[in-house]
Amino acid sequence: MSAAESPTAGTPVTLTKPIIVGYDASDGSRRAVLWAAGHAAATGQALVVVHCWLWPFFTQDLGPRTDVKDSGLRKAAERIAAEGLDLAKQAAPDINVSVRLITGFPSEVLTKLSAEASLLVTGTRGLGGFAGLLVGSVSLHLAATASCPIAVIRQDQPEKGDVLVAVDGSPESDRAVIAAADLAKTLHASLRVLHVRPYSRHALTRLPDPEHDPVVQQALNLLPADTELTIIEDSFAEPSVPGVIVHHANRAVCVVLGAKGNNTLGARLGSAVHAVLHHAQGNVIVVR
């Protein structure tokens, strides 16, 4: 698949790391490719569509079958990869897009490729009903192991809203603020900075003025003084950090989180991030 392995002819060469998106022909991966293509167009970055296949691990009979044109397991995998490439091209004809067909498990392949990416994009797989909100194991694995930010996409064209970044004062949180500000600028959206403070029965549910919250102010100090972003500040004291984030996520175009924060007890993926990935109904970006 020589044509699919090369960047699209005539497209400009970008010097930044590309966006990488996984594609397996599922509905979730289609949404991921469409979102990634639109984001690549908005940021001027290259896009790489990756399809992972496992059959070479189990058999050497990869086809084609005698007298059956375009048959066999390899041809089937190539068709899926080409489908992902075509989907991206149709969504954003002017982007620099290429495709790679790689033997291996998606979680392992995409984790390795994340070192070459500026952003890793994946879809979700649901089970219907309430369980349909749950994120797939591959997405959770990537959120915990990827070397770059990972976008978990449920909506390829989300409704208008702000970019929500949840902060807790950790280094991961600071990196999330920078990423969220860049995304808000790209989307021409406002930036909502949300801090859920430690809860006690005697604490006010909400500070009368978020300017008194040092964690919010730390986040704002990371932004340029002359930023043109519309910034909304929120500070709450509630018993459930992920519950507050998920509640506000319903009005956001995207939620941006640090991979782990001050409440993680050393876990590779913070408990709040894990819960938000499962239950947020929109797109989530996890910054490592």
Side-chain angles (χ1 to χ4, degrees), residues 80-136:
I80 293 175
E83 178 184 282
L85 178 65
D86 290 342
L87 192 63
K89 287 180 177 179
Q90 292 169 14
D94 296 329
I95 63 172
N96 181 344
V97 58
S98 58
V99 68
R100 295 180 67 180
L101 175 61
I102 301 177
T103 301
F105 292 91
S107 57
E108 296 176 2
V109 169
L110 293 174
T111 296
K112 183 176 180 180
L113 289 178
S114 68
E116 308 169 11
S118 62
L119 178 67
L120 187 62
V121 184
T122 181
T124 59
R125 288 174 180 249
L127 301 174
F130 179 76
L133 299 179
L134 301 183
V135 73

Side-chain angles (χ1 to χ4, degrees), residues 115-201:
E116 308 169 11
S118 62
L119 178 67
L120 187 62
V121 184
T122 181
T124 59
R125 288 174 180 249
L127 301 174
F130 179 76
L133 299 179
L134 301 183
V135 73
S137 59
V138 171
S139 298
L140 284 177
H141 177 88
L142 294 174
T145 60
S147 301
C148 68
I150 171 172
V152 180
I153 301 302
R154 285 186 171 91
Q155 302 171 2
D156 58 284
Q157 292 184 324
E159 296 181 2
K160 294 293 184 180
D162 50 44
V163 173
L164 172 66
V165 58
V167 299
D168 63 8
S170 66
E172 292 83 5
S173 168
D174 287 349
R175 289 192 285 273
V177 170
I178 300 301
D182 288 342
L183 180 62
K185 193 178 304 181
T186 298
L187 298 177
H188 305 289
S190 57
L191 176 66
R192 182 180 294 272
V193 179
L194 170 65
H195 178 219
V196 185
R197 310 188 314 279
Y199 174 81
S200 74
R201 289 182 301 170

Side-chain angles (χ1 to χ4, degrees), residues 4 8 16 41 43 47 50 55 57 62-63 72 90 126 148 150 158 169 171 178 188 191 196 270 284:
T8 304
T16 59
T43 59
L47 176 65
V50 175
W55 283 114
F57 290 147
L62 302 176
Q90 292 169 14
C148 68
I150 171 172
I178 300 301
H188 305 289
L191 176 66
V196 185
V284 180

Side-chain angles (χ1 to χ4, degrees), residues 14-53:
T14 55
L15 299 179
T16 59
K17 290 182 178 181
I19 298 167
I20 293 179
V21 57
Y23 182 74
D24 64 2
S26 65
D27 289 342
S29 70
R30 288 188 178 92
R31 288 190 289 270
V33 168
L34 292 173
W35 185 92
H39 192 68
T43 59
Q45 293 174 278
L47 176 65
V48 180
V49 179
V50 175
H51 175 55
C52 304
W53 69 316

